[in-house]
Amino acid sequence: MSYITVRDVSRIYPKQGGTFTALNHVSLTVDRGEFLCLLGPSGCGKSTLLSILAGFDRPTSGSAQIDGKEITAPSLRCVTIFQNYGLLPWRTVEKNVELGLESLGKAPEERRETAHAYLKLVGLERFADHYPAELSGGMQQRVAIARALAVDPDVLFMDEPFAALDAITRMKLQDEISAICREQKKTIIFVTHDIDEAIVLADRIVIMTPNPGKIKAILPVDLHGRRDRTSPDFLHIRDRVFTAFALKPEDKTEYYI
Amino acid sequence: MRTVKNARHLLGASLLVLAAWQALVSAGGFSEALFPSPLATLRGFYELIADGVLVRDIGASLGRFAVGYLSSILLAMVLGLVLGWYRGIWSYLNPIAQVLRPISPMAWLPFIVLFFGIGEMPALVIIFIAAFFPVLLATVAAVRGIEPVYLKVAQNFGIRQPAVLTKIVFPAVFPRIATGLHLALGTAWVFLVAGEMVGAQSGLGFLIIDARNNLRADLLMAAIITIGVLGLLLDSGITVVERAIGRRFGSRLA
Ligand SMILES: Nc1ncnc2c1ncn2[C@@H]1O[C@H](COP(=O)(O)OP(=O)(O)OP(=O)(O)O)[C@@H](O)[C@H]1O
Ligand SMILES: [Mg+2]
């Protein structure tokens, strides 16, 4: 049985003069240890689906389960990483990383050690005593990643975590998160509207379309671990994503003889 | 460097005011008993200091101010935190607050005297009212405007009540309440003097009334200057505190 199961989930928002369907009968399964990307244009319900999986929101109908249990509330087993990092500006980098460890009732000394270990993992050990505002966006997102990993969760949810970063930093972080998560055997659900990002990261890409939000196709990405952004395989998968979104110009020429 | 520059600005402004003041005195030909010259005012200062009157009245005013202001902001912040958190209650209280807020505390004076008598209490109550609404409204707005992602993070990392309040809500709203505290300080200081004019037997407001009754314009002017300078000092003090809070609790997200 699959690890995460989404069965016939709809999310309908009330709006003046009727309702708005953000998610329309979405079904999906995710295996343990899988890296799944939700890809689609703005408004297709990626964040809505992720919120439901993370327990921040509930579906209007249908069911969403992790490990056979219905998702009803956020939990330390499944940590969400937000686009705007969600760091607490009044806490130092180290204290931010310790946040989840406090709830786990760890002793101060152990919290400090764990925080430093994960800050080292993301290359920010030297910045432990800084405040988030003193760090660049890329560094802040690294802190958020360290904070999430520090509680050793099974699942990471990421909602466009790199969207606010410049292209170079973004690619570096993509490579890092990919390596870290595969090494630590996390299950990842990663929202993006960047096609290349999805191909670099994902084991499978879930292609979503808006109005109403639904799953259009699910593409397996088989790059045999070689995530070279310029390889022919990469370009081939890119081509298939374009086709799925109907972004490739079709040959519509009509011939009159 | 900045303080040197500020000092130069302050000195320049003071000289300008002194010159204009002296010119007004020389050209206007008012009676010295009605409008004092700078020199007479300086002598008035000397008299007040020599008598110990000035120190006593400053002490009395600052004491009253501290009690009225601190009790007011404390209650306003606690109430604001609770009301901002429980939005339902605030929906009912908000209209009431909006109606009460623009009323000058002085308007309540007859009722204040009726309830609290004259003497010590009117000044306290008026300072209390003056400081209360800016802080209450700033706190409610700060709690309601709290970055939703902070609360999501708290939920995700298993932080439950009451820790959410101490670990997330309070630090998150602090920088924005600080602005309300600053505003309230200025407003309350303005009303201190008015409050002390109602039967208080000490304080800068009393000094003003007393000087007026004795036709001592020089002492009146000295009291006015004292009030202004103290207001400036209080304002500078809270600006420093506000900056420190801003640095420590960082109001920006990204
Ligand atoms: N709380 C809400 N109330 C009403 N409508 C909402 C709410 N949240 C989301 N929606 C609507 O649902 C649709 C899907 O939103 P969602 O945030 O899931 O999109 P998304 O795919 O994440 O888009 P983006 O790439 O812009 O983040 C949008 O049209 C949005 O306006
Ligand atoms: Mg979104």
Side-chain angles (χ1 to χ4, degrees), chain A residues 35 81 122 141-142 145-146 149 156 158 161-162 170-184 186 188 190 197 201:
Chain A
F35 201 128
I81 292 176
V122 296
Q141 195 55 290
R142 282 199 178 90
I145 291 168
L149 292 173
L156 284 184
M158 305 200 189
F162 307 147
R170 186 156 65 226
M171 285 187 213
K172 260 176 95 171
L173 272 173
Q174 286 165 1
D175 291 344
E176 282 176 29
I177 195 76
S178 175
I180 290 173
C181 291
R182 288 196 159 82
E183 192 177 303
Q184 305 212 348
K186 306 292 183 198
I188 318 278
F190 188 108
E197 182 166 77
L201 293 174

Short mmCIF file of all heavy atoms in Angstrom, two decimals, chain A residues 35 81 122 141-142 145-146 149 156 158 161-162 170-184 186 188 190 197 201:
data_model
loop_
_atom_site.label_atom_id
_atom_site.label_comp_id
_atom_site.label_asym_id
_atom_site.label_seq_id
_atom_site.Cartn_x
_atom_site.Cartn_y
_atom_site.Cartn_z
N PHE A 35 10.29 11.57 -4.30
CA PHE A 35 10.36 13.02 -4.47
C PHE A 35 9.35 13.40 -5.54
O PHE A 35 9.55 13.11 -6.71
CB PHE A 35 11.77 13.45 -4.88
CG PHE A 35 12.08 14.89 -4.60
CD1 PHE A 35 13.23 15.24 -3.90
CD2 PHE A 35 11.23 15.90 -5.03
CE1 PHE A 35 13.53 16.58 -3.63
CE2 PHE A 35 11.52 17.23 -4.76
CZ PHE A 35 12.67 17.56 -4.07
N ILE A 81 7.88 23.67 4.42
CA ILE A 81 8.83 24.76 4.20
C ILE A 81 8.17 25.75 3.25
O ILE A 81 7.70 25.37 2.17
CB ILE A 81 10.15 24.22 3.63
CG1 ILE A 81 10.84 23.38 4.71
CG2 ILE A 81 11.05 25.36 3.17
CD1 ILE A 81 12.11 22.71 4.26
N VAL A 122 23.76 22.29 6.27
CA VAL A 122 23.40 23.27 5.23
C VAL A 122 24.46 24.36 5.10
O VAL A 122 24.24 25.37 4.44
CB VAL A 122 22.01 23.91 5.52
CG1 VAL A 122 20.93 22.86 5.46
CG2 VAL A 122 22.01 24.65 6.85
N GLN A 141 16.58 30.38 3.58
CA GLN A 141 15.87 29.16 3.22
C GLN A 141 16.66 27.93 3.68
O GLN A 141 16.08 26.92 4.07
CB GLN A 141 15.59 29.12 1.71
CG GLN A 141 14.55 28.10 1.27
CD GLN A 141 13.22 28.25 1.99
OE1 GLN A 141 13.10 27.99 3.18
NE2 GLN A 141 12.20 28.66 1.26
N ARG A 142 17.98 28.03 3.67
CA ARG A 142 18.78 26.93 4.21
C ARG A 142 18.50 26.73 5.70
O ARG A 142 18.43 25.60 6.17
CB ARG A 142 20.27 27.23 4.04
CG ARG A 142 20.80 27.00 2.65
CD ARG A 142 22.32 26.87 2.72
NE ARG A 142 22.87 26.59 1.42
CZ ARG A 142 23.25 27.55 0.57
NH1 ARG A 142 23.15 28.81 0.90
NH2 ARG A 142 23.73 27.21 -0.61
N ILE A 145 15.35 24.93 6.05
CA ILE A 145 15.55 23.51 5.74
C ILE A 145 16.18 22.79 6.94
O ILE A 145 15.75 21.71 7.33
CB ILE A 145 16.41 23.35 4.47
CG1 ILE A 145 15.62 23.81 3.24
CG2 ILE A 145 16.86 21.91 4.29
CD1 ILE A 145 16.44 23.97 1.97
N ALA A 146 17.18 23.44 7.52
CA ALA A 146 17.82 22.84 8.71
C ALA A 146 16.81 22.68 9.84
O ALA A 146 16.78 21.66 10.53
CB ALA A 146 18.99 23.72 9.17
N LEU A 149 14.62 19.69 9.01
CA LEU A 149 15.31 18.40 9.12
C LEU A 149 15.64 18.06 10.57
O LEU A 149 15.73 16.89 10.93
CB LEU A 149 16.59 18.43 8.29
CG LEU A 149 16.40 18.48 6.77
CD1 LEU A 149 17.74 18.67 6.07
CD2 LEU A 149 15.70 17.21 6.27
N LEU A 156 8.60 15.99 3.95
CA LEU A 156 8.78 17.43 3.84
C LEU A 156 7.84 17.95 2.76
O LEU A 156 7.78 17.39 1.66
CB LEU A 156 10.22 17.77 3.42
CG LEU A 156 11.32 17.68 4.47
CD1 LEU A 156 12.63 18.15 3.85
CD2 LEU A 156 10.98 18.52 5.69
N MET A 158 7.10 21.28 0.53
CA MET A 158 7.73 22.55 0.18
C MET A 158 6.87 23.29 -0.83
O MET A 158 6.53 22.74 -1.88
CB MET A 158 9.11 22.30 -0.44
CG MET A 158 10.01 21.46 0.44
SD MET A 158 11.71 21.71 -0.06
CE MET A 158 12.51 20.47 0.88
N PRO A 161 9.66 26.79 -2.54
CA PRO A 161 10.64 27.28 -1.56
C PRO A 161 11.74 28.14 -2.18
O PRO A 161 12.33 28.95 -1.50
CB PRO A 161 11.22 25.99 -0.97
CG PRO A 161 11.05 24.98 -2.04
CD PRO A 161 9.77 25.33 -2.74
N PHE A 162 11.99 27.96 -3.46
CA PHE A 162 13.11 28.69 -4.06
C PHE A 162 12.65 29.79 -5.01
O PHE A 162 13.45 30.40 -5.70
CB PHE A 162 14.02 27.71 -4.82
CG PHE A 162 14.48 26.54 -3.99
CD1 PHE A 162 14.70 25.29 -4.57
CD2 PHE A 162 14.69 26.68 -2.63
CE1 PHE A 162 15.12 24.22 -3.80
CE2 PHE A 162 15.11 25.61 -1.85
CZ PHE A 162 15.32 24.37 -2.43
N ARG A 170 19.23 29.41 -6.75
CA ARG A 170 18.15 28.42 -6.86
C ARG A 170 18.71 27.06 -7.30
O ARG A 170 18.41 26.04 -6.70
CB ARG A 170 17.10 28.92 -7.86
CG ARG A 170 15.88 28.05 -7.93
CD ARG A 170 14.68 28.81 -8.44
NE ARG A 170 14.84 29.25 -9.81
CZ ARG A 170 14.55 30.46 -10.25
NH1 ARG A 170 14.11 31.38 -9.42
NH2 ARG A 170 14.71 30.76 -11.51
N MET A 171 19.55 27.07 -8.33
CA MET A 171 20.10 25.80 -8.82
C MET A 171 20.97 25.13 -7.77
O MET A 171 20.92 23.92 -7.61
CB MET A 171 20.93 26.05 -10.08
CG MET A 171 20.07 26.31 -11.30
SD MET A 171 21.13 26.38 -12.75
CE MET A 171 20.24 27.56 -13.74
N LYS A 172 21.74 25.94 -7.05
CA LYS A 172 22.58 25.36 -5.99
C LYS A 172 21.72 24.68 -4.94
O LYS A 172 21.99 23.56 -4.51
CB LYS A 172 23.42 26.47 -5.34
CG LYS A 172 24.84 26.51 -5.85
CD LYS A 172 25.59 27.67 -5.26
CE LYS A 172 26.38 27.29 -4.02
NZ LYS A 172 27.25 28.43 -3.62
N LEU A 173 20.66 25.39 -4.51
CA LEU A 173 19.79 24.83 -3.48
C LEU A 173 19.04 23.60 -3.99
O LEU A 173 18.80 22.67 -3.23
CB LEU A 173 18.80 25.90 -2.99
CG LEU A 173 19.36 26.74 -1.84
CD1 LEU A 173 18.43 27.89 -1.51
CD2 LEU A 173 19.57 25.90 -0.60
N GLN A 174 18.68 23.61 -5.27
CA GLN A 174 18.02 22.43 -5.84
C GLN A 174 18.93 21.21 -5.70
O GLN A 174 18.49 20.15 -5.25
CB GLN A 174 17.71 22.67 -7.32
CG GLN A 174 16.54 23.62 -7.55
CD GLN A 174 16.47 24.11 -8.98
OE1 GLN A 174 17.29 23.75 -9.83
NE2 GLN A 174 15.49 24.94 -9.26
N ASP A 175 20.20 21.38 -6.08
CA ASP A 175 21.13 20.26 -5.98
C ASP A 175 21.30 19.82 -4.53
O ASP A 175 21.33 18.62 -4.24
CB ASP A 175 22.49 20.65 -6.58
CG ASP A 175 22.40 20.83 -8.09
OD1 ASP A 175 21.40 20.35 -8.68
OD2 ASP A 175 23.30 21.44 -8.68
N GLU A 176 21.38 20.81 -3.63
CA GLU A 176 21.58 20.46 -2.22
C GLU A 176 20.39 19.70 -1.64
O GLU A 176 20.56 18.67 -1.00
CB GLU A 176 21.81 21.73 -1.39
CG GLU A 176 23.22 22.27 -1.52
CD GLU A 176 23.40 23.57 -0.77
OE1 GLU A 176 22.72 23.78 0.25
OE2 GLU A 176 24.23 24.40 -1.21
N ILE A 177 19.20 20.25 -1.87
CA ILE A 177 18.02 19.62 -1.26
C ILE A 177 17.82 18.23 -1.83
O ILE A 177 17.45 17.28 -1.13
CB ILE A 177 16.75 20.50 -1.44
CG1 ILE A 177 15.64 20.03 -0.50
CG2 ILE A 177 16.20 20.46 -2.85
CD1 ILE A 177 15.83 20.42 0.91
N SER A 178 18.12 18.09 -3.11
CA SER A 178 18.00 16.79 -3.75
C SER A 178 18.95 15.78 -3.10
O SER A 178 18.55 14.67 -2.73
CB SER A 178 18.32 16.97 -5.25
OG SER A 178 18.32 15.75 -5.89
N ALA A 179 20.19 16.18 -2.92
CA ALA A 179 21.18 15.28 -2.32
C ALA A 179 20.82 14.96 -0.87
O ALA A 179 20.80 13.79 -0.46
CB ALA A 179 22.56 15.93 -2.38
N ILE A 180 20.50 16.01 -0.09
CA ILE A 180 20.20 15.81 1.33
C ILE A 180 19.01 14.88 1.52
O ILE A 180 19.04 13.94 2.30
CB ILE A 180 19.91 17.17 2.02
CG1 ILE A 180 21.20 17.99 2.13
CG2 ILE A 180 19.33 16.95 3.41
CD1 ILE A 180 20.98 19.40 2.64
N CYS A 181 17.95 15.14 0.78
CA CYS A 181 16.72 14.39 1.00
C CYS A 181 16.85 12.94 0.55
O CYS A 181 16.28 12.04 1.16
CB CYS A 181 15.55 15.07 0.31
SG CYS A 181 15.16 16.61 1.11
N ARG A 182 17.61 12.72 -0.50
CA ARG A 182 17.77 11.32 -0.94
C ARG A 182 18.64 10.57 0.04
O ARG A 182 18.40 9.41 0.35
CB ARG A 182 18.34 11.29 -2.35
CG ARG A 182 17.29 11.75 -3.34
CD ARG A 182 17.60 11.41 -4.78
NE ARG A 182 16.38 11.42 -5.57
CZ ARG A 182 15.81 12.52 -6.06
NH1 ARG A 182 16.35 13.69 -5.84
NH2 ARG A 182 14.70 12.45 -6.75
N GLU A 183 19.65 11.28 0.55
CA GLU A 183 20.54 10.66 1.54
C GLU A 183 19.78 10.33 2.82
O GLU A 183 19.95 9.28 3.41
CB GLU A 183 21.66 11.64 1.83
CG GLU A 183 22.82 11.08 2.61
CD GLU A 183 23.88 12.14 2.77
OE1 GLU A 183 24.34 12.67 1.72
OE2 GLU A 183 24.22 12.48 3.91
N GLN A 184 18.91 11.26 3.25
CA GLN A 184 18.19 11.05 4.52
C GLN A 184 16.87 10.33 4.31
O GLN A 184 16.09 10.18 5.25
CB GLN A 184 17.93 12.40 5.19
CG GLN A 184 19.22 13.19 5.40
CD GLN A 184 19.16 14.06 6.64
OE1 GLN A 184 18.12 14.26 7.24
NE2 GLN A 184 20.31 14.56 7.05
N LYS A 186 13.96 11.01 2.86
CA LYS A 186 12.71 11.69 3.17
C LYS A 186 11.75 11.55 2.00
O LYS A 186 12.18 11.42 0.85
CB LYS A 186 12.96 13.19 3.41
CG LYS A 186 14.01 13.50 4.45
CD LYS A 186 13.56 13.12 5.84
CE LYS A 186 14.61 13.51 6.87
NZ LYS A 186 14.42 12.80 8.14
N ILE A 188 9.28 13.65 -0.18
CA ILE A 188 9.15 15.08 -0.43
C ILE A 188 8.00 15.36 -1.38
O ILE A 188 7.88 14.70 -2.43
CB ILE A 188 10.41 15.65 -1.11
CG1 ILE A 188 11.67 15.09 -0.49
CG2 ILE A 188 10.36 17.17 -1.12
CD1 ILE A 188 12.10 15.76 0.75
N PHE A 190 6.86 18.67 -3.41
CA PHE A 190 7.50 19.95 -3.71
C PHE A 190 6.66 20.68 -4.76
O PHE A 190 6.45 20.18 -5.85
CB PHE A 190 8.90 19.64 -4.26
CG PHE A 190 9.80 20.82 -4.45
CD1 PHE A 190 10.88 21.04 -3.61
CD2 PHE A 190 9.61 21.69 -5.52
CE1 PHE A 190 11.75 22.10 -3.82
CE2 PHE A 190 10.47 22.76 -5.72
CZ PHE A 190 11.54 22.97 -4.86
N GLU A 197 12.93 23.14 -12.73
CA GLU A 197 13.10 22.76 -11.33
C GLU A 197 12.44 21.41 -11.06
O GLU A 197 13.01 20.54 -10.40
CB GLU A 197 12.48 23.83 -10.43
CG GLU A 197 12.65 23.57 -8.96
CD GLU A 197 12.34 24.81 -8.11
OE1 GLU A 197 11.15 25.13 -7.93
OE2 GLU A 197 13.30 25.45 -7.65
N LEU A 201 14.44 17.87 -9.92
CA LEU A 201 14.23 17.33 -8.58
C LEU A 201 13.43 16.03 -8.53
O LEU A 201 13.71 15.14 -7.74
CB LEU A 201 13.50 18.37 -7.71
CG LEU A 201 14.28 19.64 -7.38
CD1 LEU A 201 13.38 20.62 -6.65
CD2 LEU A 201 15.50 19.30 -6.52
#
